């Protein structure tokens, strides 16, 4: 939708139609997430993620201000729980500096406690630009703007076929056929399948990783003021279970990262045979499992054991107890995986003559959505003019 908004501004004469399979927009990743405004701390300098997160958080914050979307720049702490994590936290600080973040502060134990009185650990990085937001309201505001600029948003319109024409495409959908010169595939958890409908080979495949949350009981929410994150494992694009204050009140803990048996499997028991077959027939997944057996097993155990989940949280806030946690919601990440079993870390855009496929747009793609939309709109307008 951010792409449609930006395309409409860049190509005002073009007729733009958003085809959405659900009966409303924003039913999947964009509203099943942590609600955090990420500012570009984690990402490899020079990567699309680093560039678009840094400009994206500024643009998203301005958008929220202009459109009365609830948000708050509250800052966060990234915590080294013991001395062994300090060098990785220093690396993170260096990354943030290279990515252009200003105002980060290195905190020793006493200084950490002034910011978060119940935090554990030996050192922390305070990142002032991070915030929290209601992404559901962002979606609503974007849809309003898309419609106001004369573009269409058609819901209950699952794209089931993309037929090439001499010039452009016909998209067959549950809501009828739509003709267009150019397609932009922002299919999230199904983006690889949509690309296949347009004749692409699915070399990189979407593998769903569910992220489960707990909620902190009201009487224990005072244990955390804002956002408390661990030092992430640089091998994986996931940030590790953390504490997040919600923009409308309440406190969440999570998400973990468990391989899901369904691309839209929000519950542990959800299983979709087609999705499961798709995953197990992909050699990349077996290679990934082979390389990261321990991590996958630990994540699975932690998904089924509240005690293990709580132990991860206690590394950040030692006073948290199992009885403080209530089962919360979940989201499923559309994570692209290569045939050799590597997780694709950066955003991935594949350009064709009259199509562009977004094949990897994981976190922080909600924060960076407007900046991503701008980037795509620039690529598309060049493609259309060529
Ligand atoms: C647990 C979790 C926590 C996260 N936390 C954060 C965070 O705090 N901050 C942040 O910036 N990012 C976060 N992210 C990442 C962020 O939510 C996503 O990167 C972003 O929402 C991706 O947006 P999208 O439009 O690509 O995908 P989606 O929001 O999933 O949208 C894709 C859309 O395509 C539609 N679709 C799919 N197939 C078809 C078809 N065949 N026909 C028609 N429509 C179709 C779907 O119904 C869906 O509406 C998180 C993600 C998860 C899962």
């Amino acid at each position: 939708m951010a792409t449609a908004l930006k395309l409409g501004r860049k190509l005002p004469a073009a007729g733009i139609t958003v085809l959405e399979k659900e009966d409303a927009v924003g039913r999947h990743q964009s509203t099943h997430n942590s609600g955090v405004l990420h500012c570009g701390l984690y990402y490899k300098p020079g990567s699309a993620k680093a560039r678009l997160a840094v400009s994206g958080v500024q643009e998203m914050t301005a958008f929220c201000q202009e459109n009365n979307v609830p948000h708050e720049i509250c800052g966060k702490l990234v915590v080294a729980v013991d001395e062994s994590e300090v060098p990785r936290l220093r690396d993170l600080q260096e990354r943030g500096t290279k990515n252009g973040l200003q105002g980060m502060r290195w905190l020793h134990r006493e200084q950490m406690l002034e910011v978060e009185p119940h935090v554990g650990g030996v050192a922390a990085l305070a990142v002032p630009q991070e915030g929290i937001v209601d992404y559901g309201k962002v979606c609503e505001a974007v849809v309003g703007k898309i419609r106001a600029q004369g573009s269409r948003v058609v819901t209950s319109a699952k794209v089931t076929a993309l037929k090439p024409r001499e010039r452009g495409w016909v998209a067959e959908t549950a809501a009828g056929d739509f003709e267009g010169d150019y397609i932009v595939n922002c299919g999230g958890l199904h983006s690889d399948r949509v690309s296949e409908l347009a004749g692409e080979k699915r070399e990189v495949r979407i593998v769903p990783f569910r992220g489960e949350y707990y909620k902190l009981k009201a009487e224990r929410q005072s244990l955390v003021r804002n956002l408390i994150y661990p030092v992430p494992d640089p091998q994986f694009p996931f940030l590790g279970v953390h504490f997040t204050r919600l923009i409308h009140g309440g406190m969440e803990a999570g998400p973990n990262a468990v391989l899901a048996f369904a691309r839209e499997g929000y519950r542990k028991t959800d299983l979709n045979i087609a999705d499961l077959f798709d995953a197990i027939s992909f050699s990349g997944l077996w290679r990934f499992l082979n390389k990261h057996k321990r991590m996958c097993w630990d994540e699975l155990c932690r998904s089924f054991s509240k005690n293990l989940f709580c132990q991860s949280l206690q590394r950040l806030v030692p006073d948290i107890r199992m009885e403080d946690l209530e089962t919360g919601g979940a989201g499923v990440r559309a994570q692209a995986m290569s045939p050799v079993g590597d997780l694709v870390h950066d955003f991935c855009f594949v350009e064709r003559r009259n199509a562009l496929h977004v094949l990897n747009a994981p976190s922080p793609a909600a924060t960076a959505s407007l900046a991503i939309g701008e980037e795509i709109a620039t690529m598309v307008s060049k493609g259309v003019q060529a």
Side-chain angles (χ1 to χ4, degrees), residues 318-329:
D319 290 347
I320 290 283
R321 301 279 170 263
M322 281 231 293
E323 51 275 24
D324 302 335
L325 303 172
E326 288 170 342
T327 304

Side-chain angles (χ1 to χ4, degrees), residues 21 158 189-190 192-193 202 205-208 260-265 270-282 285 332:
K21 74 180 168 68
K158 178 176 178 177
L189 284 154
H190 301 282
D192 56 339
R193 289 174 175 160
R202 284 198 299 154
R205 188 128 350 152
I206 292 294
V207 175
F261 298 134
R263 292 197 182 193
E264 291 163 9
D270 284 346
L271 187 148
N272 177 302
I273 298 292
D275 290 350
L276 186 60
F277 179 75
D278 208 28
I280 61 177
S281 61
F282 177 49
L285 178 67
V332 185

Side-chain angles (χ1 to χ4, degrees), residues 19-22 26-30 32-36 38 135 157-159 186-190 194 211 213 255 331-333 361-368:
L19 300 171
E20 166 54 58
K21 74 180 168 68
E22 303 296 343
R27 284 287 163 90
H28 293 292
Q29 293 176 94
S30 295
H32 286 85
N33 60 35
S34 299
V36 172
H38 289 293
Y135 281 119
K158 178 176 178 177
V159 176
C186 300
L189 284 154
H190 301 282
V194 174
Y213 296 87
V332 185
R333 302 172 184 86
S363 184
T367 310

